[in-house]
Amino acid sequence: MTKGDKFLILFIVMLSFLSFAYINRYALSDQERYVSVQVNGQEVKKILYDEQLVGHTIPVESEFGYSLIEIGDRQVRLAEADCPDQICVHQGYVSRIGETIVCLPNKLVIEVKGESGEDDIDIMNY
């Protein structure tokens, strides 16, 4: 193994670590995320992640039913709903851009969105 081979191997390893650090810092960043709560296709609430909201619950009442949204640490879940099957409640927390919780009887959609508006291309799959 020559000196040039060692240098090339070291360069490739350093480049892979720098690429991984870049993806973790910019592509997976939480700073631009927010929660959109929609009832019957209309956005009724926009919840920005804030440390003061962790553990708080937000009630959503509409003509279709009652739901209770719980905010966690950069994640959100549906804590209660008056729908019969409770599938939306058992789904648990969602935290990544594009993840949704849907309650069909209440016509409720909870979606994690990104502020940048570039949600249609997933950087990890592109």
Side-chain angles (χ1 to χ4, degrees):
M1 191 181 275
T2 66
K3 195 181 226 183
D5 292 339
K6 291 178 185 178
F7 177 74
L8 183 61
I9 291 170
L10 180 65
F11 177 74
I12 291 172
V13 169
M14 292 296 288
L15 185 64
S16 66
F17 279 119
L18 288 174
S19 299
F20 181 71
Y22 175 79
I23 288 174
N24 278 337
R25 177 156 174 97
Y26 295 107
L28 303 176
S29 124
D30 303 338
Q31 297 173 357
E32 299 177 351
R33 294 180 188 181
Y34 66 95
V35 177
S36 171
V37 179
Q38 304 161 15
V39 175
N40 200 21
Q42 302 295 322
E43 185 173 74
V44 293
K45 291 190 188 293
K46 180 178 178 180
I47 305 166
L48 301 174
Y49 286 119
D50 187 6
E51 301 235 351
Q52 296 174 350
L53 286 178
V54 174
H56 282 82
T57 56
I58 300 169
V60 177
E61 288 191 53
S62 70
E63 61 189 80
F64 305 108
Y66 171 79
S67 302
L68 188 67
I69 299 170
E70 181 180 339
I71 306 296
D73 186 25
R74 296 185 186 106
Q75 55 190 0
V76 64
R77 76 179 182 115
L78 196 58
E80 291 179 22
D82 61 359
C83 59
D85 54 7
Q86 299 288 304
I87 293 173
C88 51
V89 175
H90 296 299
Q91 184 173 347
Y93 284 101
V94 293
S95 60
R96 291 186 281 171
I97 293 176
E99 287 186 322
T100 60
I101 299 173
V102 178
C103 183
L104 288 178
N106 292 349
K107 297 187 180 183
L108 175 78
V109 176
I110 301 169
E111 183 178 6
V112 179
K113 291 188 174 184
E115 195 67 45
S116 63
E118 299 177 14
D119 296 330
D120 34 38
I121 297 177
D122 182 4
I123 193 157
M124 298 306 290
N125 293 329
Y126 181 65

